[in-house]
Amino acid sequence: MGSVCCSQQHGRADSDEIEQTAEIEDRIERESKAEEHIQKLLLLGSSDSGKSTIFKQIKLLFQNGFDDAELKSYIPVIHANIYQTIKILFDGSKELSQSFSDSSRFHVSDENKEIGERLSEIGSRLEFPYLTPEIVEEIETLWQDNAIQETLSCSNKLQVPHCAHYYIENLQRLSNPGYVPTKEDVLYARVRTTGVVEIQFSPVRENKRSGEVYRLFDVGGQRNEKRKWIHLFEGVTAVIFCAAINEYDQTLLENETNHLMETKELFEWVLKQPCFEKTSFMLFLNKFDLFEEKVLKVPLNVCDWFKDYQPASSGKQEIEHAYEFVKKKFEELYFRSTSPDCVDRVFKIYRTNALDQKLVKKTFKLVHETLRRRNLFEAGLL
Protein backbone atom coordinates (compact mmCIF):
# COMPACT_ATOMS: atom_id res chain seq x y z
CA MET A 1 0.00 0.00 0.00
CA GLY A 2 2.79 2.33 1.07
CA SER A 3 4.77 1.57 -2.10
CA VAL A 4 1.70 2.32 -4.24
CA CYS A 5 1.19 5.65 -2.43
CA CYS A 6 4.87 6.50 -2.80
CA SER A 7 4.72 5.62 -6.49
CA GLN A 8 1.70 7.89 -6.96
CA GLN A 9 3.54 10.76 -5.19
CA HIS A 10 6.58 10.29 -7.42
CA GLY A 11 4.31 10.26 -10.45
CA ARG A 12 2.69 13.53 -9.44
CA ALA A 13 6.12 15.07 -8.70
CA ASP A 14 7.40 13.99 -12.13
CA SER A 15 4.25 15.36 -13.74
CA ASP A 16 4.63 18.68 -11.89
CA GLU A 17 8.29 18.88 -12.90
CA ILE A 18 7.46 18.19 -16.55
CA GLU A 19 4.73 20.82 -16.41
CA GLN A 20 7.09 23.38 -14.84
CA THR A 21 9.79 22.59 -17.41
CA ALA A 22 7.28 23.01 -20.25
CA GLU A 23 6.11 26.31 -18.74
CA ILE A 24 9.70 27.60 -18.45
CA GLU A 25 10.52 26.55 -22.00
CA ASP A 26 7.33 28.21 -23.24
CA ARG A 27 8.23 31.42 -21.41
CA ILE A 28 11.78 31.36 -22.79
CA GLU A 29 10.39 30.86 -26.30
CA ARG A 30 7.94 33.76 -25.85
CA GLU A 31 10.69 36.02 -24.49
CA SER A 32 13.03 35.02 -27.31
CA LYS A 33 10.37 35.90 -29.88
CA ALA A 34 9.76 39.21 -28.12
CA GLU A 35 13.52 39.87 -28.13
CA GLU A 36 13.58 39.37 -31.90
CA HIS A 37 11.47 42.50 -32.30
CA ILE A 38 13.71 44.61 -30.04
CA GLN A 39 16.42 46.52 -31.87
CA LYS A 40 19.57 47.04 -29.87
CA LEU A 41 21.34 50.38 -30.19
CA LEU A 42 24.81 50.82 -28.77
CA LEU A 43 25.72 54.38 -27.72
CA LEU A 44 29.49 54.81 -27.82
CA GLY A 45 31.98 57.65 -27.68
CA SER A 46 34.91 59.06 -25.76
CA SER A 47 34.59 60.62 -22.34
CA ASP A 48 32.81 64.02 -22.54
CA SER A 49 31.46 63.29 -26.02
CA GLY A 50 27.92 64.10 -24.85
CA LYS A 51 26.60 60.57 -25.32
CA SER A 52 25.18 60.35 -21.81
CA THR A 53 23.31 63.61 -22.43
CA ILE A 54 21.84 62.00 -25.57
CA PHE A 55 20.82 59.05 -23.37
CA LYS A 56 19.03 61.40 -20.94
CA GLN A 57 17.32 63.20 -23.81
CA ILE A 58 15.95 59.88 -25.13
CA LYS A 59 14.60 59.14 -21.65
CA LEU A 60 12.89 62.55 -21.60
CA LEU A 61 11.55 62.26 -25.15
CA PHE A 62 10.37 58.66 -25.36
CA GLN A 63 9.87 57.56 -21.76
CA ASN A 64 8.26 59.35 -18.84
CA GLY A 65 11.31 61.47 -18.13
CA PHE A 66 12.53 61.87 -14.56
CA ASP A 67 10.20 61.63 -11.58
CA ASP A 68 10.62 63.83 -8.51
CA ALA A 69 12.85 61.33 -6.71
CA GLU A 70 15.12 60.97 -9.75
CA LEU A 71 15.40 64.75 -10.11
CA LYS A 72 16.33 65.13 -6.44
CA SER A 73 18.93 62.38 -6.77
CA TYR A 74 20.88 64.75 -9.05
CA ILE A 75 21.32 67.42 -6.35
CA PRO A 76 24.59 65.96 -4.96
CA VAL A 77 25.82 65.40 -8.54
CA ILE A 78 25.17 69.02 -9.51
CA HIS A 79 26.78 70.35 -6.34
CA ALA A 80 29.77 68.05 -6.92
CA ASN A 81 30.10 69.41 -10.49
CA ILE A 82 30.28 72.96 -9.09
CA TYR A 83 32.93 72.14 -6.47
CA GLN A 84 34.97 70.15 -9.00
CA THR A 85 34.80 72.98 -11.55
CA ILE A 86 36.11 75.50 -9.03
CA LYS A 87 38.90 73.12 -8.02
CA ILE A 88 39.92 72.60 -11.67
CA LEU A 89 40.06 76.36 -12.25
CA PHE A 90 41.93 77.22 -9.06
CA ASP A 91 44.46 74.38 -9.40
CA GLY A 92 44.69 75.11 -13.13
CA SER A 93 45.65 78.73 -12.47
CA LYS A 94 48.70 77.47 -10.57
CA GLU A 95 49.69 75.06 -13.34
CA LEU A 96 49.26 77.68 -16.06
CA SER A 97 51.33 80.23 -14.13
CA GLN A 98 54.26 77.82 -14.48
CA SER A 99 53.65 77.20 -18.19
CA PHE A 100 53.42 80.77 -19.52
CA SER A 101 56.05 83.51 -19.52
CA ASP A 102 53.49 86.14 -18.45
CA SER A 103 52.57 84.07 -15.42
CA SER A 104 51.25 87.02 -13.40
CA ARG A 105 47.89 86.93 -15.18
CA PHE A 106 47.22 83.54 -13.60
CA HIS A 107 48.01 84.65 -10.04
CA VAL A 108 44.91 84.67 -7.87
CA SER A 109 44.71 87.80 -5.70
CA ASP A 110 45.99 87.41 -2.14
CA GLU A 111 42.55 88.01 -0.62
CA ASN A 112 41.07 85.18 -2.73
CA LYS A 113 43.85 82.61 -2.33
CA GLU A 114 42.54 81.39 1.00
CA ILE A 115 39.05 80.96 -0.49
CA GLY A 116 40.56 79.07 -3.42
CA GLU A 117 42.54 76.73 -1.19
CA ARG A 118 39.48 75.99 0.91
CA LEU A 119 37.22 75.31 -2.09
CA SER A 120 39.92 73.26 -3.81
CA GLU A 121 40.15 71.05 -0.71
CA ILE A 122 36.38 70.52 -0.76
CA GLY A 123 36.62 69.66 -4.47
CA SER A 124 39.08 66.87 -3.62
CA ARG A 125 36.64 65.05 -1.34
CA LEU A 126 34.56 62.00 -2.20
CA GLU A 127 31.50 63.57 -0.57
CA PHE A 128 30.60 67.25 -0.86
CA PRO A 129 28.70 69.56 1.50
CA TYR A 130 25.35 71.03 0.45
CA LEU A 131 25.75 74.50 -1.03
CA THR A 132 25.13 77.16 1.60
CA PRO A 133 24.76 80.96 1.10
CA GLU A 134 28.25 81.42 2.59
CA ILE A 135 29.86 78.91 0.21
CA VAL A 136 27.97 80.35 -2.75
CA GLU A 137 29.32 83.82 -1.91
CA GLU A 138 32.87 82.45 -1.79
CA ILE A 139 32.43 80.63 -5.13
CA GLU A 140 31.11 83.80 -6.78
CA THR A 141 33.98 85.85 -5.35
CA LEU A 142 36.62 83.41 -6.62
CA TRP A 143 34.87 83.06 -10.00
CA GLN A 144 35.12 86.83 -10.54
CA ASP A 145 38.87 86.89 -9.81
CA ASN A 146 40.78 87.98 -12.95
CA ALA A 147 43.15 85.01 -12.71
CA ILE A 148 40.26 82.54 -12.68
CA GLN A 149 38.73 84.20 -15.74
CA GLU A 150 42.13 84.06 -17.49
CA THR A 151 42.35 80.38 -16.59
CA LEU A 152 38.86 79.83 -17.97
CA SER A 153 40.00 81.32 -21.29
CA CYS A 154 42.61 78.53 -21.45
CA SER A 155 40.06 75.80 -20.75
CA ASN A 156 41.26 73.87 -23.83
CA LYS A 157 44.26 72.81 -21.72
CA LEU A 158 42.17 71.89 -18.69
CA GLN A 159 39.26 69.56 -18.14
CA VAL A 160 36.81 72.38 -17.44
CA PRO A 161 33.30 70.94 -17.81
CA HIS A 162 30.94 72.67 -20.22
CA CYS A 163 28.39 73.02 -17.44
CA ALA A 164 30.62 75.58 -15.67
CA HIS A 165 28.98 78.78 -16.92
CA TYR A 166 25.46 77.41 -16.63
CA TYR A 167 25.81 76.28 -13.01
CA ILE A 168 27.69 79.41 -11.86
CA GLU A 169 25.01 81.63 -13.41
CA ASN A 170 22.36 79.67 -11.48
CA LEU A 171 24.21 79.32 -8.17
CA GLN A 172 21.57 81.12 -6.09
CA ARG A 173 18.76 78.89 -7.34
CA LEU A 174 20.84 75.71 -7.06
CA SER A 175 21.58 76.45 -3.39
CA ASN A 176 18.00 77.16 -2.28
CA PRO A 177 16.91 74.92 0.67
CA GLY A 178 13.94 73.52 -1.28
CA TYR A 179 15.84 73.17 -4.56
CA VAL A 180 14.63 70.49 -7.00
CA PRO A 181 16.66 70.19 -10.23
CA THR A 182 14.97 71.07 -13.51
CA LYS A 183 15.27 68.89 -16.60
CA GLU A 184 17.85 71.33 -17.96
CA ASP A 185 19.88 71.09 -14.73
CA VAL A 186 19.91 67.29 -15.14
CA LEU A 187 20.97 67.49 -18.78
CA TYR A 188 23.98 69.62 -17.80
CA ALA A 189 24.93 67.29 -14.94
CA ARG A 190 28.10 65.30 -15.54
CA VAL A 191 28.31 61.77 -14.19
CA ARG A 192 31.01 59.45 -15.42
CA THR A 193 29.42 56.40 -17.04
CA THR A 194 31.01 53.19 -15.81
CA GLY A 195 29.77 49.86 -16.98
CA VAL A 196 26.49 49.80 -18.87
CA VAL A 197 23.11 51.47 -18.41
CA GLU A 198 20.10 50.81 -20.63
CA ILE A 199 16.57 51.93 -21.41
CA GLN A 200 13.85 50.44 -23.60
CA PHE A 201 11.47 52.65 -25.56
CA SER A 202 9.32 53.10 -28.64
CA PRO A 203 9.67 56.29 -30.69
CA VAL A 204 6.63 58.58 -30.90
CA ARG A 205 5.34 59.15 -34.42
CA GLU A 206 2.41 61.52 -35.09
CA ASN A 207 1.26 61.52 -31.46
CA LYS A 208 1.32 57.73 -31.13
CA ARG A 209 3.89 55.04 -30.45
CA SER A 210 5.48 53.38 -33.45
CA GLY A 211 5.56 49.61 -33.59
CA GLU A 212 9.34 49.44 -33.21
CA VAL A 213 10.96 48.83 -29.85
CA TYR A 214 14.52 49.93 -29.15
CA ARG A 215 16.87 49.07 -26.33
CA LEU A 216 19.53 51.72 -25.96
CA PHE A 217 22.78 50.95 -24.13
CA ASP A 218 25.09 53.67 -22.83
CA VAL A 219 28.59 52.33 -22.25
CA GLY A 220 31.45 53.83 -20.24
CA GLY A 221 33.51 56.17 -22.41
CA GLN A 222 36.93 55.83 -20.80
CA ARG A 223 39.50 53.74 -22.59
CA ASN A 224 39.60 51.12 -19.85
CA GLU A 225 35.86 50.58 -20.33
CA LYS A 226 36.29 49.13 -23.85
CA ARG A 227 36.64 45.55 -22.68
CA LYS A 228 33.23 45.81 -20.99
CA TRP A 229 31.52 46.44 -24.33
CA ILE A 230 32.35 43.08 -25.87
CA HIS A 231 29.36 41.14 -24.54
CA LEU A 232 27.03 43.73 -26.06
CA PHE A 233 28.41 43.54 -29.56
CA GLU A 234 26.51 40.54 -30.90
CA GLY A 235 23.15 41.26 -32.51
CA VAL A 236 23.44 45.03 -32.38
CA THR A 237 21.20 46.80 -34.91
CA ALA A 238 23.18 50.04 -34.92
CA VAL A 239 26.04 51.83 -33.24
CA ILE A 240 25.42 55.48 -32.42
CA PHE A 241 28.89 56.98 -32.07
CA CYS A 242 29.20 60.45 -30.53
CA ALA A 243 32.17 62.68 -31.37
CA ALA A 244 32.55 66.09 -29.72
CA ILE A 245 33.89 68.08 -32.67
CA ASN A 246 34.58 71.18 -30.54
CA GLU A 247 37.46 69.30 -28.89
CA TYR A 248 39.81 69.70 -31.85
CA ASP A 249 42.04 72.08 -29.84
CA GLN A 250 41.67 70.45 -26.43
CA THR A 251 44.65 68.75 -24.84
CA LEU A 252 45.72 67.59 -21.41
CA LEU A 253 48.50 69.55 -19.72
CA GLU A 254 50.25 66.42 -18.48
CA ASN A 255 50.69 64.68 -21.84
CA GLU A 256 49.42 67.07 -24.57
CA THR A 257 47.06 64.36 -25.88
CA ASN A 258 44.52 65.85 -28.27
CA HIS A 259 40.95 64.87 -27.37
CA LEU A 260 39.70 64.62 -30.95
CA MET A 261 42.64 62.44 -31.96
CA GLU A 262 41.61 60.07 -29.15
CA THR A 263 38.07 60.08 -30.56
CA LYS A 264 39.45 59.30 -34.02
CA GLU A 265 41.40 56.32 -32.68
CA LEU A 266 38.38 55.04 -30.77
CA PHE A 267 36.07 55.35 -33.80
CA GLU A 268 38.58 53.52 -35.96
CA TRP A 269 38.89 50.75 -33.35
CA VAL A 270 35.11 50.29 -33.15
CA LEU A 271 34.75 50.22 -36.95
CA LYS A 272 37.22 47.35 -37.23
CA GLN A 273 35.49 45.05 -34.74
CA PRO A 274 34.40 41.86 -36.60
CA CYS A 275 31.06 41.75 -34.78
CA PHE A 276 30.05 45.04 -36.47
CA GLU A 277 30.44 43.80 -40.05
CA LYS A 278 26.71 44.14 -40.73
CA THR A 279 25.91 46.78 -38.13
CA SER A 280 24.60 50.19 -39.15
CA PHE A 281 26.66 53.19 -38.01
CA MET A 282 25.12 56.51 -37.00
CA LEU A 283 27.81 59.12 -36.36
CA PHE A 284 26.71 62.10 -34.25
CA LEU A 285 29.08 65.04 -34.77
CA ASN A 286 28.12 66.53 -31.45
CA LYS A 287 28.51 69.88 -29.66
CA PHE A 288 28.14 71.78 -32.91
CA ASP A 289 27.02 74.86 -30.93
CA LEU A 290 30.40 74.98 -29.17
CA PHE A 291 32.22 74.18 -32.42
CA GLU A 292 30.69 77.16 -34.27
CA GLU A 293 31.62 79.49 -31.40
CA LYS A 294 35.21 78.28 -31.41
CA VAL A 295 36.12 77.72 -35.04
CA LEU A 296 36.16 81.45 -35.94
CA LYS A 297 38.61 82.10 -33.07
CA VAL A 298 40.77 78.96 -33.02
CA PRO A 299 42.11 77.63 -36.36
CA LEU A 300 40.92 74.13 -37.18
CA ASN A 301 44.44 73.14 -38.28
CA VAL A 302 45.79 73.28 -34.70
CA CYS A 303 44.69 69.64 -34.63
CA ASP A 304 47.16 67.33 -36.42
CA TRP A 305 44.30 65.49 -38.11
CA PHE A 306 43.17 68.78 -39.71
CA LYS A 307 46.58 70.29 -40.46
CA ASP A 308 45.77 70.42 -44.20
CA TYR A 309 42.71 72.59 -43.58
CA GLN A 310 42.61 75.98 -45.33
CA PRO A 311 40.04 78.61 -44.27
CA ALA A 312 37.93 79.72 -47.22
CA SER A 313 35.70 82.48 -45.95
CA SER A 314 34.43 84.15 -42.77
CA GLY A 315 31.35 84.15 -40.58
CA LYS A 316 28.68 81.50 -41.15
CA GLN A 317 30.21 80.41 -44.46
CA GLU A 318 33.49 79.63 -42.74
CA ILE A 319 31.67 77.68 -40.01
CA GLU A 320 29.94 75.54 -42.65
CA HIS A 321 33.19 75.11 -44.59
CA ALA A 322 35.00 73.95 -41.44
CA TYR A 323 32.18 71.59 -40.46
CA GLU A 324 32.08 70.00 -43.91
CA PHE A 325 35.85 69.48 -43.74
CA VAL A 326 35.52 67.68 -40.38
CA LYS A 327 32.61 65.62 -41.70
CA LYS A 328 34.66 64.60 -44.75
CA LYS A 329 37.56 63.51 -42.52
CA PHE A 330 35.26 61.20 -40.57
CA GLU A 331 33.76 59.85 -43.83
CA GLU A 332 37.25 59.08 -45.17
CA LEU A 333 38.15 57.37 -41.89
CA TYR A 334 34.99 55.28 -42.06
CA PHE A 335 35.58 54.02 -45.59
CA ARG A 336 39.30 53.50 -44.99
CA SER A 337 38.49 51.38 -41.92
CA THR A 338 35.70 49.39 -43.59
CA SER A 339 36.61 46.05 -45.17
CA PRO A 340 35.03 44.94 -48.49
CA ASP A 341 32.79 42.56 -46.52
CA CYS A 342 31.16 45.53 -44.75
CA VAL A 343 30.40 47.80 -47.70
CA ASP A 344 26.65 47.18 -47.54
CA ARG A 345 26.24 48.37 -43.94
CA VAL A 346 24.48 51.71 -43.46
CA PHE A 347 26.53 54.78 -42.50
CA LYS A 348 24.95 58.15 -41.74
CA ILE A 349 26.33 61.35 -40.23
CA TYR A 350 24.25 63.81 -38.21
CA ARG A 351 25.07 67.26 -36.86
CA THR A 352 23.95 67.35 -33.22
CA ASN A 353 23.85 69.34 -30.02
CA ALA A 354 22.93 66.97 -27.19
CA LEU A 355 21.47 69.79 -25.07
CA ASP A 356 19.01 70.81 -27.79
CA GLN A 357 15.96 68.59 -27.26
CA LYS A 358 14.23 69.58 -30.51
CA LEU A 359 17.35 68.77 -32.52
CA VAL A 360 17.85 65.44 -30.73
CA LYS A 361 14.21 64.52 -31.41
CA LYS A 362 14.55 65.46 -35.09
CA THR A 363 17.84 63.54 -35.37
CA PHE A 364 16.46 60.42 -33.77
CA LYS A 365 13.45 60.56 -36.07
CA LEU A 366 15.91 60.43 -38.99
CA VAL A 367 17.82 57.56 -37.37
CA HIS A 368 14.56 55.69 -36.79
CA GLU A 369 13.50 56.17 -40.41
CA THR A 370 16.91 54.99 -41.68
CA LEU A 371 16.74 51.82 -39.57
CA ARG A 372 13.12 51.17 -40.55
CA ARG A 373 13.99 51.39 -44.26
CA ARG A 374 16.99 49.13 -43.67
CA ASN A 375 14.74 46.50 -42.05
CA LEU A 376 12.24 46.71 -44.92
CA PHE A 377 15.07 46.32 -47.44
CA GLU A 378 16.46 43.25 -45.66
CA ALA A 379 12.95 41.77 -45.56
CA GLY A 380 12.67 42.25 -49.34
CA LEU A 381 9.89 44.83 -49.00
CA LEU A 382 11.85 47.67 -50.60
Side-chain angles (χ1 to χ4, degrees):
M1 183 75 174
S3 63
V4 172
C5 181
C6 185
S7 176
Q8 288 174 339
Q9 287 175 345
H10 277 299
R12 281 199 299 273
D14 289 343
S15 177
D16 288 346
E17 188 175 337
I18 291 169
E19 191 176 326
Q20 286 177 351
T21 301
E23 188 180 329
I24 290 169
E25 287 177 349
D26 183 53
R27 191 174 78 240
I28 289 171
E29 187 177 350
R30 287 198 311 271
E31 288 176 357
S32 296
K33 285 182 178 178
E35 284 286 322
E36 288 175 6
H37 299 289
I38 296 174
Q39 301 189 62
K40 291 168 73 175
L41 306 177
L42 203 54
L43 188 56
L44 304 179
S46 299
S47 177
D48 293 328
S49 63
K51 66 185 180 60
S52 294
T53 306
I54 295 284
F55 187 89
K56 287 184 277 188
Q57 288 281 28
I58 296 297
K59 183 177 172 66
L60 287 168
L61 285 165
F62 304 123
Q63 285 195 325
N64 296 322
F66 299 94
D67 60 29
D68 209 48
E70 286 178 299
L71 290 172
K72 287 179 179 176
S73 73
Y74 273 91
I75 294 175
V77 174
I78 291 166
H79 288 184
N81 286 172
I82 293 167
Y83 286 120
Q84 290 161 348
T85 296
I86 292 300
K87 174 180 172 55
I88 289 168
L89 289 170
F90 182 72
D91 293 355
S93 68
K94 295 178 182 178
E95 292 180 56
L96 291 171
S97 69
Q98 298 172 1
S99 304
F100 287 82
S101 55
D102 54 341
S103 61
S104 59
R105 64 191 176 110
F106 298 108
H107 290 164
V108 173
S109 63
D110 291 339
E111 59 267 31
N112 290 335
K113 274 183 183 175
E114 188 178 338
I115 293 174
E117 295 291 352
R118 186 160 54 250
L119 292 174
S120 177
E121 187 278 321
I122 294 174
S124 302
R125 299 177 190 174
L126 295 177
E127 294 185 5
F128 305 91
Y130 196 94
L131 286 172
T132 63
E134 293 76 22
I135 293 176
V136 166
E137 187 178 348
E138 289 190 334
I139 291 173
E140 289 177 333
T141 298
L142 185 62
W143 176 264
Q144 291 164 9
D145 191 289
N146 290 335
I148 296 300
Q149 290 302 308
E150 283 288 343
T151 302
L152 190 62
S153 69
C154 297
S155 59
N156 64 307
K157 293 191 175 293
L158 304 166
Q159 292 278 45
V160 180
H162 299 129
C163 62
H165 282 282
Y166 175 80
Y167 284 152
I168 297 298
E169 287 170 2
N170 289 277
L171 266 180
Q172 297 295 332
R173 178 175 61 83
L174 302 179
S175 61
N176 285 338
Y179 167 61
V180 176
T182 64
K183 292 174 183 176
E184 193 172 13
D185 295 344
V186 170
L187 288 173
Y188 272 99
R190 294 175 75 251
V191 186
R192 175 181 167 180
T193 305
T194 57
V196 182
V197 290
E198 64 178 91
I199 53 173
Q200 188 165 302
F201 65 96
S202 291
V204 177
R205 186 172 60 203
E206 295 177 1
N207 298 320
K208 63 179 180 180
R209 298 281 173 190
S210 68
E212 290 83 358
V213 178
Y214 292 101
R215 186 172 294 156
L216 180 68
F217 297 88
D218 180 17
V219 186
Q222 282 72 21
R223 276 197 254 185
N224 61 0
E225 298 284 335
K226 286 182 189 177
R227 61 186 181 276
K228 298 179 183 178
W229 302 349
I230 301 298
H231 68 288
L232 291 173
F233 281 178
E234 291 301 328
V236 172
T237 306
V239 168
I240 298 175
F241 190 95
C242 292
I245 58 174
N246 66 304
E247 294 188 337
Y248 66 88
D249 71 326
Q250 290 178 217
T251 56
L252 297 178
L253 271 176
E254 59 266 27
N255 58 16
E256 290 296 313
T257 302
N258 182 280
H259 287 199
L260 200 59
M261 292 298 286
E262 282 198 338
T263 297
K264 172 182 177 283
E265 290 171 14
L266 177 58
F267 186 50
E268 191 172 11
W269 179 82
V270 172
L271 286 170
K272 291 179 178 179
Q273 297 308 302
C275 46
F276 287 152
E277 284 184 357
K278 299 187 183 301
T279 301
S280 298
F281 271 82
M282 309 292 150
L283 176 61
F284 285 11
L285 297 183
N286 196 32
K287 301 190 180 181
F288 177 76
D289 56 324
L290 299 175
F291 175 82
E292 64 179 340
E293 284 179 15
K294 180 181 286 185
V295 77
L296 295 179
K297 303 171 188 173
V298 182
L300 198 59
N301 51 24
V302 298
C303 175
D304 284 346
W305 194 19
F306 307 144
K307 61 185 178 182
D308 55 334
Y309 177 73
Q310 294 295 326
S313 186
S314 60
K316 287 186 177 180
Q317 285 185 323
E318 175 56 23
I319 292 169
E320 287 301 315
H321 179 66
Y323 171 77
E324 289 299 325
F325 181 86
V326 173
K327 180 181 174 183
K328 186 180 178 183
K329 284 289 187 179
F330 273 99
E331 285 176 337
E332 290 172 350
L333 177 63
Y334 172 83
F335 289 110
R336 193 166 61 246
S337 305
T338 299
S339 70
D341 297 334
C342 308
V343 291
D344 60 340
R345 66 183 178 187
V346 175
F347 176 55
K348 296 284 185 180
I349 299 178
Y350 303 95
R351 179 189 310 198
T352 58
N353 168 14
L355 291 167
D356 185 336
Q357 191 171 79
K358 287 183 179 179
L359 182 57
V360 172
K361 185 176 182 180
K362 179 182 176 183
T363 303
F364 199 82
K365 185 178 178 182
L366 294 171
V367 169
H368 170 59
E369 188 59 31
T370 297
L371 295 178
R372 193 178 71 83
R373 289 180 64 83
R374 173 71 173 180
N375 291 338
L376 290 172
F377 176 79
E378 289 182 347
L381 299 174
L382 270 184

